[in-house]
Structure formats: C-alpha cells, structure tokens
Amino acid sequence: MHNLIFFGPPGSGKGTQALRVAEKFRFIHLSTGDVFRREIAVRSPLGMKVKDVIDRGELVPDSLLIELIGDFILKYQTAQGFVFDGFPRTLPQAEALDSILKVHRSEVTCALLLEVKEEELIRRLVNRAREEGRSDDTEEVIEKRLVLYHQHTKPLTDYYTSSGKLEVVHGIGDIEDIFRNLCKTINKRIKAEFR
Ligand code: AMP
C-alpha cells in the first residue's frame, strides 16, 4: 500500500493535483475538506457538528479527523494506495496516521508540499471565492486559514523532513508541468519502496 500525502497552504492547488495523481496511479483519493462539505450539504450529524468551525475557517478537532481516517483506511484496506488531500493538518494527526498505517503494516510513502508564495495564494483564493462561492473563501476567513496553516500545518515540514519523507514541489506555473514534476517525484519514491 502506497500512501501519498498532499499538503500545502489553502490555494496551493493541492486539491486539483491530488485528484489527478490519484487517477493516474489508481489510488484512492481522500479529501477531508470534500468529505465535510458533502456531510454539510446533506445536513448529516457530522456535517452539522463541523459546519460552524469550517465556516469560521478553523480546524475541525483532531479526534474527529483521526476517527474518520481510521474508518476510511479500514474500509479500503485492500487498495493499492491512498492520496490524502488536506490530511494530516496538525502534528497529532500526522502521528495518528503513522500509527494507523503501522497497524496495516504500511507507512507514509512521501509527503508532498506544494510551495506557492503568499501573494499568489491570496490572489488565487480571492478568485476561487468569486468563481465557486465557497462559504469559507471570504477575505477574513482566508486570512484565518492562512494563519492556522502557518501555526499548525507548516510544522509538518519538520516532522516529515526528520523521517525523510518530505518532497517539496514548486506549485506555481503551468498545471501540467507541476503535475509532471509531482509524478516524477512520486515514481522515484515508489520505486525506492520496492528496493
Ligand atoms: P480544505 O478543502 O482541505 O481546504 O478543507 C476545508 C476545511 O475543512 C478546512 O478549512 C477545515 O476547517 C476542515 N478540514 C479539512 N481537513 C481538515 C483536517 N485534516 N484537520 C482539521 N480540519 C480540516
């Protein structure tokens, strides 16, 4: 089982690229943000629990994410691989993912960080707000999400550097070029796992 993690600030393009990578490698794509948006749309108990937190641009509690991911991996345990998109976002989530994967005799293949400058992120997020009308893409909420990214998610860079799993991929420019770079990086890591 290969486990790819996509992380990066909101607006880094991780969602678009994670989906394409999952299709190409035939791995199962899990966007925790999409799961929550779907649950909110059907007004499920989980959706109602997380709606306000998401609308404010805050992070959903770790315990909820860890349970969700544990159940998901169990459900698809025969899959060839997973693409985790937007998870983990905090250190406790990253540690929990390692423990869950260990139970399944697996580990993180690599953590892909899409690097994009702050001005470019804000420009993209403001555009997305106009085009998609996401309730968490208002200016105030965008700012909050970026601050929380720096506080809680950016430190994962150190976590995955120390375990030798971090791969930083340049996230500005042609979408196809970024995709090619990502695939090259992932292929190298997958080959190394077979050695
Ligand atoms: P995303 O689509 O990945 O930007 O996620 C949208 C929102 O869902 C985030 O701003 C958080 O409120 C929530 N969310 C998604 N994934 C996580 C996570 N791993 N930890 C905490 N909150 C999350």
Side-chain angles (χ1 to χ4, degrees):
M1 198 156 89
H2 306 291
N3 303 290
L4 308 175
I5 291 169
F6 272 77
F7 79 111
S12 61
K14 65 180 159 46
T16 309
Q17 296 289 352
L19 199 59
R20 295 192 58 181
V21 163
E23 267 172 22
K24 179 179 163 72
F25 288 86
R26 296 174 192 274
F27 292 170
I28 298 203
H29 174 243
L30 176 64
S31 156
T32 44
D34 283 350
V35 170
F36 293 139
R37 279 185 286 277
R38 274 198 300 270
E39 296 290 326
I40 291 170
V42 299
R43 298 174 168 274
S44 73
L46 173 63
M48 292 302 95
K49 210 190 261 181
V50 299
K51 185 181 186 313
D52 288 348
V53 175
I54 291 181
D55 282 349
R56 287 198 300 268
E58 290 167 8
L59 292 177
V60 172
D62 287 336
S63 56
L64 232 152
L65 267 300
I66 292 166
E67 194 187 329
L68 190 122
I69 292 289
D71 290 350
F72 191 85
I73 295 176
L74 194 64
K75 185 168 166 198
Y76 294 103
Q77 54 184 311
T78 55
Q80 289 189 46
F82 290 97
V83 175
F84 297 104
D85 170 3
F87 177 91
R89 251 179 165 96
T90 65
L91 210 52
Q93 289 180 22
E95 288 167 350
L97 178 62
D98 283 346
S99 312
I100 295 168
L101 291 177
K102 211 167 169 186
V103 170
H104 293 277
R105 295 193 171 72
S106 191
E107 60 180 291
V108 169
T109 305
C110 61
L112 298 145
L113 172 66
L114 275 176
E115 204 170 45
V116 177
K117 283 195 299 266
E118 194 102 350
E119 310 91 79
E120 171 69 10
L121 291 176
I122 293 169
R123 196 188 62 77
R124 289 184 188 178
L125 288 166
V126 170
N127 275 343
R128 185 165 80 184
R130 263 192 231 122
E131 284 160 18
E132 293 178 19
R134 264 176 59 157
S135 57
D136 58 350
D137 268 349
T138 63
E139 203 170 315
E140 197 189 330
V141 173
I142 287 170
E143 238 167 66
K144 165 89 86 38
R145 291 170 69 213
L146 284 170
V147 168
L148 287 178
Y149 171 78
H150 285 290
Q151 262 174 9
H152 296 281
T153 312
K154 195 84 194 291
L156 294 184
T157 312
D158 292 336
Y159 183 75
Y160 288 118
T161 300
S162 63
S163 57
K165 306 281 190 192
L166 186 75
E167 292 283 3
V168 181
V169 175
H170 186 64
I172 298 185
D174 185 49
I175 291 185
E176 294 300 329
D177 289 340
I178 300 168
F179 180 62
R180 259 194 301 277
N181 282 338
L182 279 167
C183 291
K184 236 193 271 171
T185 305
I186 295 163
N187 272 320
K188 253 192 262 162
R189 287 280 178 166
I190 288 180
K191 265 191 209 145
E193 277 190 332
F194 284 122
R195 263 186 222 129

